[in-house]
Amino acid sequence: MEKSCSLLVHFDKGTPAIANEIKESLEGNDVDAKIDAMKKAIMLLLNGETLPQLFITIVRYVLPSEDHTVQKLLLLYLEIIDKTDQKGRVLPEMILICQNLRNNLQHPNEYIRGVTLRFLCRLNEAEIVEPLIPSVLQNLEHRHPYIRRNAILAVMSIYKLPNGEQLLVDAPEMIEKILSTEQDQSAKRNAFLMLFTCAQERAVNYLLTNVDRVSEWGELLQMIVLELIRKVCRTNRGEKGRYIKIIISLLNAPSTAVVYECAGTLVSLSYAPTAIRAAANTYCQLLLSQSDNNVKLIVLDRLTELKSSHREVVADMFMDVLRALSSPNLDIRRKTLDIVLDLVAHKSINEVVLTLKKEVVKTQNGELEKNGEYRQMLIQAIHSCAIKFPEVASTVVHLLMDFLGDSNVASAVDVVIFVQEIIETNPKLRVSIITRLLDTFYQIRASRVCSCALWIIGEYCLSLSEVESGIATIKQCLGELPFFSVSEEESNDSSKKFPQLNSMTVSSKRPAILADGTYATQSAASETVFSHPTVVQGSLASGNLRSLLLSGDFFLGAVVACTLTKLVLRLEEVQPSKVEVNKTSSQALLIVVSMLQLGHSPVLPHPIDSDSYDRIVLCIRLLCNTGDEIRKIWLKSCRQSFVDMLSEKQLRETEEIKAKSLISHAQPDDLIDFYHLKSRKGMSQLELEDEVQDDLKRATGEFVKDGDDANKLNRIIQLTGFSDPVYAEAYVTVHHYDIVLDVTVINRTKETLQNLCLELATMGDLKLVERPQNYTLAPESSKQIKANIKVSSTETGVIFGNIVYETSNVHERTVVVLNDIHIDIMDYISPAVCSDGAFRTMWAEFEWENKVAVNTIIQDEKEFLDHIMKSTNMKCLTAPSALDGECGFLAANLYAKSLFGEDALVNVSIEKQTDGKLSGYIRIRSKTQGIALSLGDKITLKQKGGS
């Protein structure tokens, strides 16, 4: 059985002869040698050694020592040695210790008295403590506060012993008198703690008697007062009106710890808008005044919790919360933006967007190394605001378009996706966005950003001038044709003979990349890298598209071909002159064919891929011969698909908001108190508000029971058999990081069970919090035993153990082995939502993957997907429209988040075979091994279609 101790240090036991060396050192006169010997003895005892031969030596040679360090080590030694025999009786040699402890309690040195009093707090043997009580009580009146405060703690620990109330009958009354006269703040705190723990009514009376002086008390005492208020109000909520005033007065305390606890206590006790507003204001002040990042993160978590239940109150303080963006920490900024974006409304959107724009401008100075990530967060926040409130889009879209060429690719991608949505949802901004996009297109350096920008140009250039400008911009960014010279192709044979020349030729077709990641201009590159005399030089303006194509990015080449095709098709509709249309069409055809030739040329290390080749060939065919149906598909259907996608996304977000705001209503026959009909005599305005809010919460069903009775029955686990002499079953409650086992033990025999103990052990990332206690169980009676277990990760854990007891007839202990309790990973996983981009980023970063082969009797793809979602408690990120149809294939992404902040990613890819069975794989990725393995085991167990 684990023992409590105040020292736990790893120690190598060494040789058995070390005990003799310790004994010799203790018998000597050298104080330093005694100190080292005592330390070794303590460490050996902590590592399981008994060392019974040392006790008498220590009594003879260590007890008389006057050295403070030796005395401190002596008390540690006495704390960890066994002071009772196997039957629980105090060992007779402990009498030798009592006299020494009594002498120490009367010692002229304050330190010796103080540490001895602290040692008494850890003694559980009443036989040793009882003769020391008179000396302890004398120290309550000592002149030094260090001794008085430890004497009060000693009295409290003695009073809490099993028969402590008989040993110190008048202890609460005595401590109450001391509390009224004590001047030392620490001693007052300990005295109030003793009353709070052992005589709560006296503590409450003292508090209510000194209500007006609470604000003058010390920080430590004020913290105990708040703990007392929480305990009293949890027991009897009707009493909270008497204590709210005390909490409000403590909100102005100089200690930030007290202020924080006050705000938390207010939120837990009151629903009144005045109280909630005071708490929220306190959190905002702490957020701005504290420099510690951990404190800021904790306060932001409290504000998030407050926002979920008192949204209207917190919404008024959004500007105070926004000031936390001044912190350089990205986690603080992210949480701040999450809170503000959830609170933003029509009346506050302009101020929020203005602040975000200022922050975006600040990120351009480049002083901080994580400016790129912060800018990406700000862009996503502005994007969210513009989607919710389209009227602000015009004020931000042009500012953000300056970042299309951002060196941080993620930020640039977010900007171009934002522009893509805004240009569709805000038709009035189309002309200005297209004009600005064409002006800044040459600055874009990322392939993905170029692809999205080209799609926008192809879909939203509608007028004649816009179409011509779009084609001109693309031609300018592609540079002069051809992309490689004929002479170079002819000189391939000679280049093979000169490898160094060949390598220079290949490198001449690639863009020059500088140390900062940007591309060099064509003229500079020609001087430093390109040296082949037959290379076709590009102009100074040409750059991004040509450089990316020459690097072998033919997916972008296919996008360029599609964009040019769309622009030519639209030009046929808006350009009356057929000559101009034919001229432009032939130029576009030349560009597309040149890209195709480049893809098959030997100047690039890798040829064009088959998918890009097929798309480019399709564009060539369309430019040569176009039908009305094809024109309709290219000019209308593509854009309509994008509109449908946006509509579905908006619908999904609306459904999520509705799901969050869905409130379970209370039963119609639940009692409602009408505060208008109540007597208001003696009630403060805050109490009246609280009554109103209580009624509103009850009427709208916010006071809902924690769980359904049916769900509770499902959580009961049978631990022993019906034929065992002791029957046990456990009700498992999982709450965040805690697991509570409420075990019911029934004695089914006709005998009294003595020293009955529930011994538990854990496997996995589970840890027992409390030591097991012994109980006595009468015949055919039952006992409720609670066990608390801490959880540190989502790895599946197992709790196992046994029940041990004794009977009067049989002297040996009887052991009943319990069934194992498996802690389900589903208790820690909840469905969550993330963007497709975030999912792909995490999928690429996470290193742990578990691949599970599909093995199921289910024959319908969607039914199997629904079964996996239900079994794993995950959310499907793939849009329902993407899962429509009967094609025999299905691919979907699932996402969930654990209580510990871990992300769980799942990709389901299945195919229907000719015999009707499903085949494929389910791939799980996570940052930690535990969640990947646990989810894989769960899916393997559940995928066949079982319960």
Side-chain angles (χ1 to χ4, degrees), residues 207 210-218 222 225 246 249-250:
L207 175 61
N210 298 275
V211 167
D212 298 331
R213 298 171 57 191
V214 172
S215 57
E216 302 171 6
W217 291 351
Q222 288 174 344
V225 166
I246 300 174
S249 68
L250 288 178

Side-chain angles (χ1 to χ4, degrees), residues 915-930:
D915 58 357
K917 293 184 178 180
L918 298 180
S919 66
Y921 290 96
I922 301 170
R923 297 167 67 194
I924 307 151
R925 285 198 184 183
S926 67
K927 206 169 190 177
T928 57
Q929 182 185 19

Side-chain angles (χ1 to χ4, degrees), residues 673-680 692 695:
D673 292 326
F674 293 93
Y675 94 102
H676 294 285
L677 305 179
K678 284 186 176 181
S679 171
R680 304 188 189 184
V692 176
D695 290 344

Side-chain angles (χ1 to χ4, degrees), residues 117 120-121 136 149-159 168:
L117 287 166
L120 292 181
C121 296
V136 173
R149 71 178 73 131
N150 285 306
I152 294 169
L153 290 177
V155 168
M156 181 175 72
S157 64
I158 294 170
Y159 192 79
L168 283 170

Side-chain angles (χ1 to χ4, degrees), residues 65 98 113 184 273 287 432 466 535 542-543 608 627 726 775 829 846 878:
S65 174
C98 287
R113 285 199 188 199
D184 181 68
L287 186 63
S432 60
E466 290 170 352
V535 171
S542 66
I608 185 171
V726 175
Y775 303 94
I829 282 185
F846 290 173
T878 307

